Amino acid sequence: MDRTEGTYLVNHEQRPLRFGEVNLINPPRRERRGLPALEGVLCQTVCTGFCGTDWELMKMGSQRRLDDKFPEGQQRLINGHEGVVRVPAEDRYAVVLIRGGDSWDPSRFEANESYFEYGCDGADGLMSHHGYYHPKMLLPIPEEYLPPGELLGRRLAARLVFADPMACMLFQCERIEDLLMGHNWRLYAARGMNREAAMDSAVTDGFSRVVIYGLGSTGSLGAIAIREKYPDAHIVTVGRSDPGGEKDGFLARHWDGIEYIQTRMSTEQTARAIEEALGGKPRVFIGASGNSIEAEVAFNCGLLDNNGIYASFSLGPRICYDSMPFGFKNHLIFGAINFRRDHMEAAIEMLCSLPMDELVRERLLEDLQADPIDFYRQVYRAPDRALKTIVVWEQALVDSD
């Protein structure tokens, strides 16, 4: 197949996002270094979710800054990196592993290595009726939840659009564990513990008081990922919405002990409210709001505990701190927005049994087709927007449940 219909991004001040006929390409790609480069398999898009990255890419297009994101030799990018496809040649559904490339570990690619991300960076994504994807990067849905030959249920489809951001948060959790071990194990060794016990204590104590600043998709999933692995973790989430809203209400219904603080106070008041709710200063601070205020609360207001970790998951804001208390309090800042295959596989397995579909709202493909830019404004900026919006591209491939 040479052409399909879908959304694609270009460099243009007024119309950076368009819906229409677009050419398909199928260059050989590697899942990772050491594996063969393979051409893609033709797939049908079943459903797609909309991520803030799509909005940011559209803004980049209006500023004519997309050149580095286009696939090689192209002047457009089919966007979209969340969703489910059907593989006609194998008569099965799959979730696309988004990140690959010529690197040993795509979550830590080195200076002489390369990567691609379907729908984001150098490779076309899922926002089209058809697309080509690396055959080894089409991850199966567990048969326990989708037996062979059955139609994909709508609720399961809605849950699986979170596979990409959930994989990101599972990676975040793993990296924070690694950092807590290396950063703080000597605190516990000084009390007489052997190294293994000291590392275990560094992790469990680190996750005992967690604040997640920003309750969007990634913030919500971060709270869930940590609570699922550390049931005793005390987690406070922070957002702009009134308490009892859709997102914090969802977490409160399904996970006891995840508290919520509204940010409509001064930074000092917000910091005090978080500390009071946690019963102490947070040892892990995850910034996911996309706003520089999160760093002000963590550092300028003295909220982050001594030996604490600031995990930056926001794109855009600058992190500023006073080097004197920062150094003496032994703070650690890290940022990484990646994941590996095992994170995506674990995310798929986890999401199949989580009620994430409650946070999803379906919109018609015809709405996206009629005016994609206005569609994006509603999805990302409307006051009553859903946490996650999806579009079904092939209604015949989804069961009504």
Side-chain angles (χ1 to χ4, degrees):
M1 177 174 288
D2 296 326
R3 302 188 72 79
T4 189
E5 277 197 332
T7 63
Y8 57 97
L9 293 152
V10 297
N11 284 321
H12 193 278
E13 287 86 347
Q14 286 78 41
R15 295 179 59 232
L17 178 70
R18 305 176 182 188
F19 192 107
E21 192 175 60
V22 62
N23 64 304
L24 286 176
I25 59 174
N26 190 18
R29 301 186 187 277
R30 297 184 193 279
E31 179 185 346
R32 64 177 177 82
R33 181 164 287 193
L35 297 177
L38 301 174
E39 289 189 350
V41 174
L42 184 66
C43 297
Q44 294 173 277
T45 304
V46 179
C47 64
T48 52
F50 295 82
C51 171
T53 301
D54 298 308
W55 174 261
E56 293 301 322
L57 289 171
M58 186 180 78
K59 289 198 299 184
M60 288 176 65
S62 68
Q63 298 161 3
R64 293 185 173 272
R65 296 192 296 115
L66 280 179
D67 287 341
D68 292 340
K69 301 293 184 182
F70 294 143
E72 185 176 356
Q74 304 297 310
Q75 293 299 310
R76 89 293 171 280
L77 171 70
I78 300 174
N79 64 305
H81 58 280
E82 300 177 352
V84 181
V85 301
R86 181 176 175 274
V87 191
E90 301 174 18
D91 192 24
R92 69 178 179 95
Y93 295 88
V95 177
V96 180
L97 174 62
I98 296 302
R99 192 179 181 96
D102 194 18
S103 59
W104 291 113
D105 181 344
S107 68
R108 294 173 177 83
F109 72 97
E110 300 178 48
N112 64 339
E113 296 180 336
S114 63
Y115 74 94
F116 68 87
E117 289 185 343
Y118 287 117
C120 300
D121 205 330
D124 288 329
L126 281 73
M127 288 289 181
S128 58
H129 283 287
H130 297 87
Y132 288 100
Y133 308 104
H134 191 293
K136 303 298 183 182
M137 297 174 68
L138 296 167
L139 304 183
I141 300 168
E143 292 186 5
E144 174 187 355
Y145 301 98
L146 184 62
E150 288 195 6
L151 281 178
L152 177 67
R154 249 180 173 76
R155 291 177 61 195
L156 181 56
R159 294 175 180 184
L160 289 173
V161 297
F162 288 99
D164 180 278
M166 178 60 90
C168 283
M169 298 319 293
L170 292 177
F171 171 73
Q172 289 284 305
C173 189
E174 174 192 89
R175 286 290 280 127
I176 294 170
E177 290 171 345
D178 293 346
L179 294 170
L180 284 168
M181 289 181 198
H183 189 52
N184 285 335
W185 75 272
R186 291 186 184 276
L187 290 174
Y188 302 91
R191 302 170 191 178
M193 294 183 185
N194 63 42
R195 183 165 183 153
E196 183 178 358
M199 285 189 169
D200 288 343
S201 293
V203 172
T204 54
D205 283 1
F207 280 114
S208 65
R209 293 198 299 267
V210 179
V211 60
I212 298 177
Y213 202 103
L215 199 55
S217 179
T218 53
S220 300
L221 293 170
I224 294 168
I226 292 172
R227 173 44 62 87
E228 287 286 313
K229 188 162 187 181
Y230 297 97
D232 295 329
H234 194 172
I235 301 171
V236 168
T237 60
V238 184
R240 290 174 294 186
S241 302
D242 292 331
E246 181 182 30
K247 292 174 285 189
D248 68 290
F250 168 78
L251 292 175
R253 280 197 310 276
H254 296 290
W255 289 273
D256 291 336
I258 298 179
E259 299 185 52
Y260 178 72
I261 298 292
Q262 191 177 24
T263 61
R264 294 182 183 177
M265 301 176 282
S266 69
T267 54
E268 291 82 5
Q269 290 172 318
T270 300
R272 286 198 297 270
I274 294 169
E275 184 173 352
E276 182 178 339
L278 281 173
K281 293 181 183 294
R283 291 169 174 161
V284 171
F285 188 114
I286 299 177
S289 70
N291 193 308
S292 60
I293 291 175
E294 63 190 30
E296 294 178 28
V297 171
F299 298 115
N300 296 354
C301 297
L303 178 63
L304 185 62
D305 200 5
N306 286 16
N307 310 301
I309 291 178
Y310 183 98
S312 175
F313 201 80
S314 292
L315 292 175
R318 292 181 178 271
I319 298 173
C320 299
Y321 57 88
D322 184 339
S323 60
M324 179 69 78
F326 176 83
F328 281 96
K329 290 183 177 181
N330 195 37
H331 287 156
L332 176 64
I333 298 175
F334 104 97
I337 303 177
N338 295 307
F339 56 83
R340 300 186 306 272
R341 182 189 188 97
D342 56 308
H343 297 119
M344 180 69 91
E345 291 170 335
I348 293 168
E349 183 76 34
M350 180 183 292
L351 288 167
C352 285
S353 60
L354 294 180
M356 301 303 299
D357 54 289
E358 294 179 17
L359 297 174
V360 176
R361 189 179 304 163
E362 185 177 335
R363 293 282 302 271
L364 295 176
L365 177 62
E366 289 78 7
D367 293 340
L368 176 63
Q369 184 175 9
D371 191 337
I373 293 179
D374 183 62
F375 184 98
Y376 272 39
R377 289 196 186 103
Q378 294 177 42
V379 165
Y380 297 113
R381 291 296 180 264
D384 62 343
R385 62 188 180 275
L387 179 76
K388 181 65 65 178
T389 297
I390 68 168
V391 159
V392 174
W393 291 74
E394 299 292 344
Q395 293 287 346
L397 298 178
V398 180
D399 198 349
S400 63
D401 283 341

